[in-house]
């Protein structure tokens, strides 16, 4: 398979890329940190990737997305899977006090993703096949008091994907919304880890399997579907009193 | 890796694989090399000491300190090169486990030259312990196959070490239980793998004499290790099953055993601590007797895949919980060839009399040792026994120490949680050279573990 991974340095993306590399796939990596992308490229080559290309880019810079997608298509000829993984976890308290902090989170998590989806959507329409998968979050399922800034930034992407999926379906392209639960990764290094945390490897195995089975909305690991169902069912009158 | 949350201090309690002793510590997981250097620069060695931690599979207290620097995100491969003469060298980061390496190299027809009984150990841990495997009598220990390594010193400086470059530091780091610095990555020589299958033959020995004789007879066998019943007394003392293994040659390959990725084996998890009462002299003796009887009745040769041959215990996840909440100690000693027979008799006698002992005690013939300052192996016999932790165990082990010392042997630092500083100095003659080098490369003694303090190697 020919796979474009955007935000390849994220823990989940790295773990997913390693699984594809082991199968001998061809990868095109996009990330901001040049030295880490280079390290990852070498790693994936040893693990068995047939070819690895890389592009260093700050994804918040949406003006460069068009050229990026063009280049990926040019390099690989076609793209079987585009996986958007980049993201940030803004501090909730900062976002409450300072709109700029919230805006920064929205730029990275939401606006840049929608910009990429616009570019990818147009190209995949022409291609008439392939899959587009986006890592959102269970946090987008319902805004919680402790984390609604991040949740809102992901919810917008999920909502966008619901309609985008219909548009792409008509052109033979699958759109997959991947919602990981709590992941034990550098992004959550400040948070105490409980039983519900999964390793990036575990999440990656779910992601690879879910994409293969052409799921539409994929909770990773799967039990998060039930957890979030319960969270969504709590009536607002009670929910507004909860601190989590 | 044992860990428990303490809500009061915000710290966690950590222990080694033996789950004894336990220590409250902060685990830091730097996600890049720069972050490691930053963590080191920020720590004040007068207040808190630091030690690197990989998979937490050393048994005792060698990876315990106030700050544990996890190598979990040092998990990338750098290169895999094959020279014209056909030698393959893998360069990879120190936090990769041997299992992860095997997953990647076995499908390419390559293998690790030395494998311990636990595949979860990391490259960094394998180097710090200079681990050995069932082929030590032929291939030596892990570090004998390490060409070079990059070491992050306490000062934040990164040094390339090999046998020709900073060789003193190289020989101190190999087997140096993490006290010289943090191994960032290493170059490891790989061996070609003809097949996934190992031909295993099991030979029954009705006592220690027979077992040692068989081992001497089969010194050419690639892999050799014996399970020994350390509770059998009298004429049956030291009865054992000697396992010999050879890689199946490529010509005898059927399609199934050609090098390829092995399927994930199903695992059995031990979900919680077994009541330690279950392990007593009667249940242990019964287990050992039935194991011996079972092996005696099974066919003497079998073809099994390498995973099963090298890592029989890994199918039981968290098997360390079988020894109860207080944990266990693994006592691994080595005696030189000249005194091994006599010494092992005395030690087995003492253990059988005490009626303490374990499911699986292991006897192995070591080949020649190497020139690393604190590496464990010397030519002779090594015996490893598990004991559950209880008050009456410690006096027994002190007695065993005296026997080991009297016979010119020593204990494996990676399994140790209790040997005295004096005993350590008597049995590791190069300790002084190690301490001098430590003073040079880590003058503030930033890297220090519970073990190194007990052994008088650091403050």
């Amino acid at each position: 398979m020919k796979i474009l991974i955007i935000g390849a340095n994220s823990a989940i993306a790295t773990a997913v890329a390693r699984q594809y590399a082991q199968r001998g796939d061809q990868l095109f990596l996009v990330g901001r940190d040049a030295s880490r992308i280079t390290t990852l490229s070498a790693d994936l080559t040893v693990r068995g990737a047939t070819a690895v290309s890389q592009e260093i880019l700050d994804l918040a810079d949406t003006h460069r997305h068009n050229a990026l997608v063009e280049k990926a298509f040019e390099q690989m000829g076609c793209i079987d899977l585009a996986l958007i993984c980049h993201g940030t976890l803004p501090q909730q308290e900062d976002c409450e006090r300072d709109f700029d902090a919230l805006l920064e989170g929205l730029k990275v998590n939401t606006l840049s993703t929608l910009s990429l989806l616009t570019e990818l959507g147009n190209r995949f329409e022409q291609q008439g096949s392939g899959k587009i998968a986006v890592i959102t979050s269970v946090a987008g399922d319902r805004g919680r008091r402790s984390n609604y800034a991040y949740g809102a930034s992901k919810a917008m992407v999920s909502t966008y994907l619901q309609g985008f999926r219909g548009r792409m379906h008509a052109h033979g392209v699958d759109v997959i919304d991947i919602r990981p639960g709590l992941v034990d990764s550098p992004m959550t290094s400040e948070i105490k880890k409980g039983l519900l945390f999964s390793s990036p490897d575990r999440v990656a195995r779910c992601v690879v399997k879910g994409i293969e089975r052409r799921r539409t909305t994929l909770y990773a690991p799967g039990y998060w579907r039930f957890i979030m169902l319960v969270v969504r069912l709590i009536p607002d009158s009670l929910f507004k009193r909860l601190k989590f | 890796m044992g860990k428990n949350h303490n809500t009061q201090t915000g710290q966690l309690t950590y222990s080694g694989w033996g789950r004894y002793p336990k220590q409250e510590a902060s685990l830091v997981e730097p996600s890049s090399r720069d972050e490691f250097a930053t963590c080191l620069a920020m720590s004040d060695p007068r207040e808190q000491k630091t030690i690197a931690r990989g998979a937490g599979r050393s048994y005792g207290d060698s990876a315990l300190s106030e700050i544990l620097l996890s190598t979990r995100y040092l998990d990338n491969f750098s290169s895999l090169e094959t020279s014209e003469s056909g030698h393959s060298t893998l360069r990879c980061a120190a936090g990769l486990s041997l299992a992860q390496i095997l997953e990647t190299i076995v499908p390419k027809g390559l293998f690790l030259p030395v494998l311990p009984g636990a595949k979860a150990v990391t490259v960094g841990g394998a180097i710090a312990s200079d681990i050995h495997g069932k082929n030590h009598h032929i291939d030596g220990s892990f570090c004998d196959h390490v060409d070079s390594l990059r070491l992050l010193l306490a000062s934040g400086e990164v040094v390339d070490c090999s046998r020709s470059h900073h060789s003193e530091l190289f020989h101190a780091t190999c087997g140096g239980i993490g006290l010289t610095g943090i191994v960032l990555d290493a170059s490891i020589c790989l061996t070609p793998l003809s097949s996934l299958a190992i031909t295993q033959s099991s030979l029954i020995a009705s006592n220690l004499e027979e077992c040692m004789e068989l081992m001497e007879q089969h010194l050419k066998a690639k892999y050799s290790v014996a399970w020994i019943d350390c509770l059998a007394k009298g004429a049956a003392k030291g009865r054992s099953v000697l396992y010999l293994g050879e890689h199946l040659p490529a010509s005898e390959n059927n399609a199934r055993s050609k090098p390829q990725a092995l399927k994930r084996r199903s695992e059995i998890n031990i979900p919680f601590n077994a009541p330690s009462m279950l392990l007593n002299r009667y249940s242990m003796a019964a287990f050992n007797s039935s194991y011996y009887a079972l092996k005696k009745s099974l066919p003497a040769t079998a073809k099994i895949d390498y995973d099963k041959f090298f890592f029989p215990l890994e199918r039981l996840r968290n098997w360390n919980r079988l020894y109860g909440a207080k944990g266990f100690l693994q006592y691994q000693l080595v005696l030189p060839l000249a005194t091994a027979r006599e010494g092992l008799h005395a030690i087995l006698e003492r253990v059988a009399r005490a009626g303490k002992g374990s499911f699986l005690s292991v006897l192995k013939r070591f080949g020649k040792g190497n020139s690393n300052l604190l590496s464990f192996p010397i030519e002779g016999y090594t015996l490893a026994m598990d004991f559950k932790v209880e008050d009456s165990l410690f006096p027994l082990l002190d007695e065993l120490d005296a026997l080991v010392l009297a016979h010119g042997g020593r204990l494996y630092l990676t399994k140790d949680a209790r040997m005295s500083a004096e005993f350590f100095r008597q049995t590791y003659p190069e300790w002084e050279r190690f301490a001098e080098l430590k003073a040079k490369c880590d003058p503030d003694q930033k890297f220090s573990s519970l073990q190194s303090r007990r052994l008088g190697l650091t403050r």
Side-chain angles (χ1 to χ4, degrees), chain B residues 43-50 66 444-446 459:
Chain B
S43 73
D44 181 354
R46 282 165 303 183
E47 293 193 351
Q48 288 186 311
K49 302 286 190 183
T50 302
E66 287 83 27
D444 299 329
Q445 310 222 333
K446 272 193 178 172
R459 288 190 299 274

Side-chain angles (χ1 to χ4, degrees), chain B residues 114-177:
Chain B
V114 170
L115 284 172
K119 61 179 169 178
V121 305
T122 61
V123 170
I127 290 172
S129 296
D130 194 6
I131 57 167
H132 53 267
K134 301 172 175 45
N135 54 343
H136 186 273
H137 56 291
I138 291 180
D139 297 317
S141 50
F142 190 84
C143 293
D144 295 333
H145 306 272
V146 172
D147 273 348
S148 66
L149 55 90
R150 280 205 305 163
L151 188 68
L152 175 65
L153 298 178
S155 62
E157 189 190 346
V158 177
V159 189
D160 270 302
C161 314
S162 65
R163 284 175 190 81
S164 56
H165 199 68
H166 292 291
S167 65
E168 246 197 330
L169 201 50
F170 181 81
H171 289 295
T173 303
C174 292
I177 42 175

Side-chain angles (χ1 to χ4, degrees), chain A residues 21-33:
Chain A
Q22 202 137 25
R23 304 190 336 192
D25 290 334
Q26 184 182 342
L27 299 158
F28 189 102
L29 311 177
V30 185
R32 188 175 45 180
D33 184 332

Side-chain angles (χ1 to χ4, degrees), chain A residues 20 23 30-31 40 47 51 69 78 91 106 120 128 164 166 173 180 200 207-208 222 238:
Chain A
Y20 285 128
R23 304 190 336 192
V30 185
L40 180 61
R47 286 177 199 260
V69 171
C78 66
Q91 291 290 320
L106 288 173
L120 286 169
F164 183 67
V173 178
V207 168
V208 170
L238 173 62

Side-chain angles (χ1 to χ4, degrees), chain B residues 1-2 17 19 269-276 279 317-325 328:
Chain B
M1 169 158 91
W17 184 245
R19 313 178 77 233
N269 189 19
I270 311 290
F272 46 76
N273 295 325
S276 63
L279 294 193
R317 238 167 73 207
N318 298 318
W319 62 263
N320 53 350
R321 289 180 175 155
L322 289 175
Y323 286 93
F328 73 104

Side-chain angles (χ1 to χ4, degrees), chain A residues 11 14 18-19 22 36 39-40 42-48 184-187 189 192-193 199-201 205, chain B residues 3 5 10-12 29 31-33 72-73 75-80 90-91 96 100 103-104 107-108 264:
Chain A
T14 299
R18 283 174 173 166
Q19 302 232 347
Q22 202 137 25
R36 286 180 62 200
T39 305
L40 180 61
D43 174 74
L44 297 174
T45 308
V46 174
R47 286 177 199 260
D184 179 7
S185 71
M187 189 161 111
S189 61
K192 292 249 159 56
K193 309 292 187 299
S199 70
D201 276 341
R205 281 200 296 276
Chain B
K3 63 179 182 184
H5 199 232
Q11 287 191 319
L12 295 173
E29 298 179 333
S31 61
S32 70
R33 276 155 211 186
R72 131 167 218 218
Y73 292 119
D75 63 347
N76 61 288
F77 292 100
S78 302
S79 63
L80 174 59
L90 176 72
R91 183 146 197 105
L96 278 168
Q100 289 169 315
E103 246 172 64
T104 295
K108 300 177 199 284
R264 253 165 211 280

